[in-house]
Amino acid sequence: AGPAILGEAAFVHHLAIASNGKTSFKIKMNAYFSRMTLVVLLIAVAITCGLVGGLGNSVDVALIRDGISARASSPLPTEAGLFLNYAGGVVATIGLGLIAAILLWRRDQPRLAITIVAIALVGRLLVEAVKLSVRRARPALDAHPVTLHSLSFPSGHAANSMIVFPLLALVFAPSGHRVPWVALGVFTSLIIGASRSLIGVHWPSDVVAGWAIGAAWLIATWPLAARLVPVESQHDVVGGHRSAVGEV
């Protein structure tokens, strides 16, 4: 009876392992399809903005005129917009990515360092490719406070900041505090993007498309970096102490 009982116990144990494996696979597939559904929806938002936005869109034109009125009534919107023009520009965002990569490399995480730089740079190239494909002109309802020669759709500032700031929060924030840090990164991107229309250099639909493209790219590519983020305790760059930076 003893061997029979042991054999039955082993069978039940293996059955439980197989059941857990199937459950884990199902959870992973559900997460994948949920993530891809969100990516598709964000791309649809960007495409819609590309089709209906610009000079022929009354909402875009009205919001640009509101920005002109705000700048005419006070110098503060222009000053804030000029500051955010540099804070959310390609030099600042890609520069932050490179600094983060150097920190990771010094912490013996070269693959993660290369991955976050690749996510940021390829995301930027994707935005430039869309600009060249759509070829939308920038608003010209008044003189811009900054000189720009690139195309309008989508907003590179909105897309770059939506990729880089939440990405750095995901990589460096401790696992128990990721949500507020990621929310801060998203909020910063929203402020930077909104400032582009406020100073009249982007149609609002350009900005919304930039946010959507940036978010879609980050959601699609984050798993590549997530598997490289160590679970064990290590130095927390954000908080300045040792903490776990495992999965969300």
Side-chain angles (χ1 to χ4, degrees):
I5 294 174
L6 290 175
E8 183 178 348
F11 173 76
V12 171
H13 176 68
H14 287 302
L15 189 64
I17 292 175
S19 177
N20 289 337
K22 290 181 180 179
T23 301
S24 176
F25 176 76
K26 185 177 181 180
I27 291 173
K28 289 180 180 179
M29 290 305 297
N30 287 339
Y32 171 79
F33 284 117
S34 297
R35 188 170 68 250
M36 288 301 102
T37 298
L38 183 55
V39 168
V40 170
L41 290 174
L42 289 167
I43 293 174
V45 169
I47 292 174
T48 302
C49 289
L51 293 174
V52 305
L55 183 60
N57 186 285
S58 59
V59 175
D60 267 357
V61 173
L63 290 174
I64 289 295
R65 293 194 185 280
D66 288 343
I68 294 172
S69 299
R71 299 200 313 274
S73 62
S74 170
L76 183 60
T78 300
E79 293 172 358
L82 290 175
F83 170 75
L84 293 171
N85 177 66
Y86 296 106
V90 63
V91 173
T93 52
I94 300 301
L96 281 175
L98 291 174
I99 292 172
I102 292 171
L103 291 174
L104 291 170
W105 199 285
R106 289 172 61 87
R107 287 161 52 177
D108 295 324
Q109 299 175 56
R111 293 175 61 196
L112 180 57
I114 293 171
T115 300
I116 66 168
V117 170
I119 290 173
L121 287 178
V122 176
R124 175 64 190 180
L125 292 175
L126 176 64
V127 169
E128 291 301 319
V130 176
K131 283 179 179 284
L132 293 174
S133 299
V134 177
R135 305 195 67 83
R136 178 185 290 176
R138 291 182 182 270
L141 303 183
D142 72 331
H144 298 159
V146 292
T147 302
L148 297 169
H149 303 288
S150 59
L151 296 164
S152 192
F153 181 92
S155 166
H157 280 65
N160 293 341
S161 58
M162 188 60 77
I163 294 169
V164 173
F165 294 148
L167 174 61
L168 296 183
L170 286 167
V171 171
F172 289 109
S175 58
H177 299 85
R178 277 184 174 172
V179 172
W181 280 105
V182 171
L184 178 61
V186 171
F187 178 74
T188 303
S189 176
L190 295 178
I191 295 297
I192 289 171
S195 73
R196 306 304 287 162
S197 293
L198 180 62
I199 61 175
V201 297
H202 274 295
W203 302 104
S205 57
D206 300 339
V207 174
V208 174
W211 286 329
I213 291 172
W217 179 249
L218 178 60
I219 292 168
T221 58
W222 164 242
L224 298 175
R227 68 187 63 181
L228 299 174
V229 176
V231 178
E232 69 273 9
S233 294
Q234 60 176 299
H235 185 263
D236 169 25
V237 174
V238 175
H241 59 277
R242 300 183 70 83
S243 59
V245 290
E247 303 220 353
V248 177

